[in-house]
Amino acid sequence: MLFSSVEIQETVDMFLRHKLDVRAITMGISLLDCASSSGEKCRERIRSKIMRTGEKLVSVGREIEEEFGIPIINKRIAVTPVALVAGASGEDDLVPWAVMLDEVAKNLEVDFLGGFSALVQKGFTKGDLALINSIPEALKVTDRVCSSVNVGTTKNGINMDAVKLMGQVVCKTAENTADRDGLGCAKLVVFCNAPEDNPFMAGAFHGPGEGEAVLSVGVSGPGVVKAACEDYKGVPLDVLADGIKKTAFKITRMGQLVGTEAAKRLGIPFGILDLSLAPTPSVGDSVARILEEMGLEKAGAPGTTAALALLTDMVKKGGVMASGSVGGLSGAFIPVSEDEGMIDAVRSGSISLEKLEAMTTVCSVGLDMIAIPGDTPAETVSGIMADEFAIGMVNNKTTAVRIIPVPGKKSGDWVEFGGLLGEAPVMSVNPFSCTDFINRGGRIPAPIHSFRN
């Protein structure tokens, strides 16, 4: 027998009682062969290629859901960073590219389409600047397009001119979507060390080193891991760690099954499996509650960073043990508005912006879905980003910032984004200025340990 009755029942419980799901199947599509000196011709080539390559993605996802009884929450597409393709047209306004991508996403019925992106860790091309300057309007007039900009790497350092510019872009995007509480910023991620094979939005794009098309999977199961922790009450931390690792192994095997089957039916290679504990606003689907189950009175209490480090490492170890294709981010996400336990922790005062920053040193990504006062200066937003990217650069890990200056709201106010984006209190920001530091521009050089050859 391949599986015992106990293992089968255990897996059924994961789905029915503990909210285990495949958070996303994401098809990556290369657009490098779509470049043209004519913007109109380039957009038509892109439209045609995505429609042709992605036409079966949603139907295949639904088939697998029905046949295997495994929930697949989102079907997504990620494309080559648009700045790399649109630059050949010489056009300064790339909003029409975003509008076209949004139309394609709606025609294919995918939930999100990522890749309105630029890679500027060492400098800007004309295409990069055109795309970045188009982001605020592009995210205002589209619904399903997601944008990302990589401004630093461990090898190259941090492009502080880009960090300054992105602070302005975030504030302008919030202003442009003020009627929706700055919601456009929820579709914009700024990175250091962005992975080229990440299936999770809003930061997904199809890296230049990837093939023509690939199918990647993002699996999530905070509720399953919390339930596992409940079975290890009072035991030493190394014993608890082993239990988390075994649970992550089981979750990963399920994701591997879905990914390989979907890729086979779509006739494209299977890329990576990203096992990231990505929470939702639903009760029982929270990373913060896992930390509390590990022995903290409230997420944010002393010991939180240590507990998160253990959790993230065991998730990675269990995943790698289960699959040779683990990639992307893999670990634990700590988005404030998307995690009901994190929302509760912020509301009770146990977590501040500075504590979240400390936690990002050991989690999968960084400062995620954080609402801040709408009158926060752009230079302060850039300073928050710079701190986060320094963590990523020095520690050779991915860090990201998805922050939302909510127009008209101040610290302590409440904001509701709806759906999986959730709701959150507006967090206070250090009032002291970093304007002179940010206005210096230039580049923070790569750390000494980046020189490996």
Side-chain angles (χ1 to χ4, degrees):
M1 184 187 298
L2 187 58
F3 299 105
S4 71
S5 58
V6 173
E7 289 173 316
I8 293 171
Q9 184 59 51
E10 197 174 53
T11 303
V12 170
D13 283 347
M14 286 181 181
F15 291 123
L16 297 183
R17 297 177 54 208
H18 306 307
K19 303 181 185 296
L20 176 62
D21 58 55
V22 171
R23 188 56 49 87
I25 55 172
T26 303
M27 177 182 284
I29 302 174
S30 174
L31 304 182
L32 292 176
D33 58 348
C34 298
S36 171
S37 58
S38 163
E40 184 177 350
K41 184 176 290 185
C42 180
R43 291 192 293 275
E44 188 50 46
R45 287 176 178 176
I46 291 172
R47 181 193 303 273
S48 176
K49 183 164 187 181
I50 298 175
M51 290 295 294
R52 181 176 67 254
T53 309
E55 63 179 346
K56 295 181 180 178
L57 176 63
V58 171
S59 61
V60 164
R62 289 171 179 164
E63 285 173 9
I64 291 174
E65 281 185 289
E66 293 175 5
E67 291 180 29
F68 291 81
I70 297 173
I72 301 175
I73 306 302
N74 284 291
K75 292 84 175 174
R76 302 165 172 172
I77 288 174
V79 298
T80 303
V82 168
L84 296 179
V85 185
S89 72
E91 294 188 6
D92 294 327
D93 180 8
L94 300 192
V95 174
W97 268 261
V99 170
M100 175 271 298
L101 292 172
D102 200 50
E103 292 170 353
V104 169
K106 289 173 180 176
N107 287 338
L108 291 175
E109 298 183 60
V110 296
D111 298 281
F112 292 105
L113 194 153
F116 195 73
S117 307
L119 310 177
V120 296
Q121 52 266 26
K122 286 193 77 175
F124 303 98
T125 65
K126 292 179 181 178
D128 294 329
L129 285 172
L131 184 132
I132 291 171
N133 290 328
S134 298
I135 288 172
E137 184 65 18
L139 296 183
K140 174 185 177 180
V141 300
T142 61
D143 299 313
R144 306 189 188 191
V145 170
C146 292
S147 181
S148 60
V149 178
N150 191 69
V151 300
T153 66
T154 298
K155 275 287 188 184
N156 297 300
I158 301 172
N159 181 350
M160 289 301 292
D161 292 321
V163 172
K164 177 182 178 180
L165 179 56
M166 289 312 299
Q168 297 167 359
V169 167
V170 166
C171 291
K172 181 63 176 176
T173 301
E175 180 185 318
N176 277 10
T177 53
D179 59 327
R180 289 165 280 167
D181 287 328
L183 188 62
C185 295
K187 299 186 292 175
L188 171 59
V189 182
V190 190
F191 276 112
C192 178
N193 289 322
E196 295 190 2
D197 56 2
N198 162 31
F200 284 102
M201 297 296 173
F205 62 87
H206 188 68
E210 298 284 329
E212 276 295 313
V214 67
L215 193 285
S216 295
V217 173
V219 182
S220 181
V224 176
V225 175
K226 180 179 180 296
C229 290
E230 291 170 359
D231 293 335
Y232 288 85
K233 284 187 182 296
V235 302
L237 288 174
D238 53 327
V239 178
L240 171 62
D242 193 55
I244 293 172
K245 181 175 68 175
K246 290 175 180 176
T247 301
F249 175 89
K250 295 170 186 175
I251 296 172
T252 305
R253 295 300 290 172
M254 181 275 295
Q256 178 87 15
L257 170 66
V258 170
T260 52
E261 184 63 26
K264 183 173 74 173
R265 296 187 187 193
L266 290 166
I268 60 176
F270 174 54
I272 60 97
L273 188 150
D274 187 323
L275 173 58
S276 288
L277 302 182
T280 72
S282 300
V283 174
D285 206 20
S286 163
V287 170
R289 299 305 186 194
I290 298 174
L291 302 177
E292 292 166 7
E293 189 61 43
M294 293 168 73
L296 304 173
E297 180 182 2
K298 186 74 69 174
T304 295
T305 305
L308 183 59
L310 183 154
L311 173 64
T312 303
D313 187 53
M314 289 304 112
V315 167
K316 291 178 185 290
K317 286 176 178 173
V320 169
M321 186 168 62
S323 170
S325 301
V326 171
L329 297 163
S330 291
F333 289 176
I334 51 171
V336 173
S337 76
E338 297 175 3
D339 185 316
E340 63 84 17
M342 201 67 73
I343 294 167
D344 183 50
V346 173
R347 182 187 277 164
S348 67
S350 68
I351 280 190
S352 64
L353 192 58
E354 286 72 23
K355 182 60 177 179
L356 283 168
E357 183 183 299
M359 292 166 67
T360 65
T361 62
V362 298
C363 77
S364 284
V365 194
L367 298 172
D368 196 15
M369 286 303 293
I370 295 170
I372 61 174
D375 61 358
T376 303
E379 294 83 2
T380 297
V381 174
S382 293
I384 293 169
M385 290 181 182
D387 285 343
E388 190 60 31
F389 302 147
I391 290 171
M393 176 187 70
V394 171
N395 292 289
N396 197 25
K397 72 183 292 293
T398 299
T399 50
V401 174
R402 186 164 51 146
I403 197 166
I404 305 169
V406 185
K409 297 289 177 79
K410 61 183 185 300
S411 177
D413 287 347
W414 193 259
V415 59
E416 296 187 10
F417 298 118
L420 288 176
L421 297 176
E423 56 186 7
V426 177
M427 300 185 72
S428 61
V429 173
N430 190 311
F432 292 93
S433 175
C434 62
T435 297
D436 289 347
F437 175 72
I438 295 300
N439 283 340
R440 284 177 177 268
R443 185 164 61 94
I444 294 179
I448 185 63
H449 59 259
S450 70
F451 189 68
R452 296 175 181 171
N453 201 356

